[in-house]
Amino acid sequence: MPIVKAQAEAGFKNGILPDINSPTFDWTLAAQITMPLFDGFHEKRSENEASRNEQAAAAGINDAEERIKTNVIQAEADVEASYSKLDISRSQLNFAQRSLELARIKYDAGVITNVDVLDAENELSQAKLGHLQNQYRYFMSKHSLDQATGAFPAAR
């Protein structure tokens, strides 16, 4: 589109011959017309750029959605795996407690030595530690799932 500009100025000024000390009325009119002949395909390229920016934004949204889905699926799998490990460690803990009880009965009967009882106590302590670690992993995986699903806000 052509651009039309107009400018008008009026005023008094001195320093004009023959009497340089007396103010004289002065005015100026100006007009300018700008008409682009060729824009170098600027408009077409701007449309192409806007279209590609829109496609990139849509791809970014799609990527974010896929990452969220992946995080939720991974968190769910972690919860299931940690729950299975917790169940196994619970069984190991029960087994270690029964083994210690049997070792003490055998020791009282004189069948085994005190070293065997100490080994059974050590195994029970290891089973308790493993069970606590699995509880911690289970609760952390549940927390991660809550964060991934938006049920619990992320720590800041």
Side-chain angles (χ1 to χ4, degrees), residues 91-132:
S91 298
Q92 289 173 339
L93 182 61
N94 291 335
F95 180 76
Q97 287 172 338
R98 280 190 245 123
S99 295
L100 179 60
E101 290 170 6
L102 289 174
R104 286 184 178 153
I105 292 171
K106 288 179 183 179
Y107 178 74
D108 290 340
V111 178
I112 61 173
T113 65
N114 65 342
V115 174
D116 294 325
V117 175
L118 291 174
D119 285 343
E121 288 176 351
N122 186 33
E123 288 176 15
L124 178 61
S125 296
Q126 292 296 321
K128 286 180 180 179
L129 176 63
H131 186 64
L132 285 173

Side-chain angles (χ1 to χ4, degrees), residues 21-93:
N21 291 325
S22 69
T24 306
F25 182 73
D26 187 34
W27 59 274
T28 305
L29 287 177
Q32 177 182 0
I33 298 176
T34 304
M35 181 154 192
L37 298 176
F38 180 67
D39 68 352
F41 305 110
H42 176 72
E43 186 174 330
K44 182 67 175 167
R45 289 193 176 121
S46 295
E47 289 175 3
N48 287 340
E49 182 181 3
S51 174
R52 288 196 174 99
N53 287 341
E54 183 180 352
Q55 291 171 354
I61 290 171
N62 188 35
D63 180 54
E65 289 173 350
E66 291 300 319
R67 278 188 279 130
I68 289 169
K69 287 177 188 176
T70 302
N71 288 342
V72 169
I73 291 169
Q74 180 65 45
E76 287 174 341
D78 289 345
V79 167
E80 290 176 18
S82 63
Y83 184 77
S84 297
K85 289 179 183 178
L86 184 62
D87 197 34
I88 291 168
S89 70
R90 190 176 298 119
S91 298
Q92 289 173 339
L93 182 61

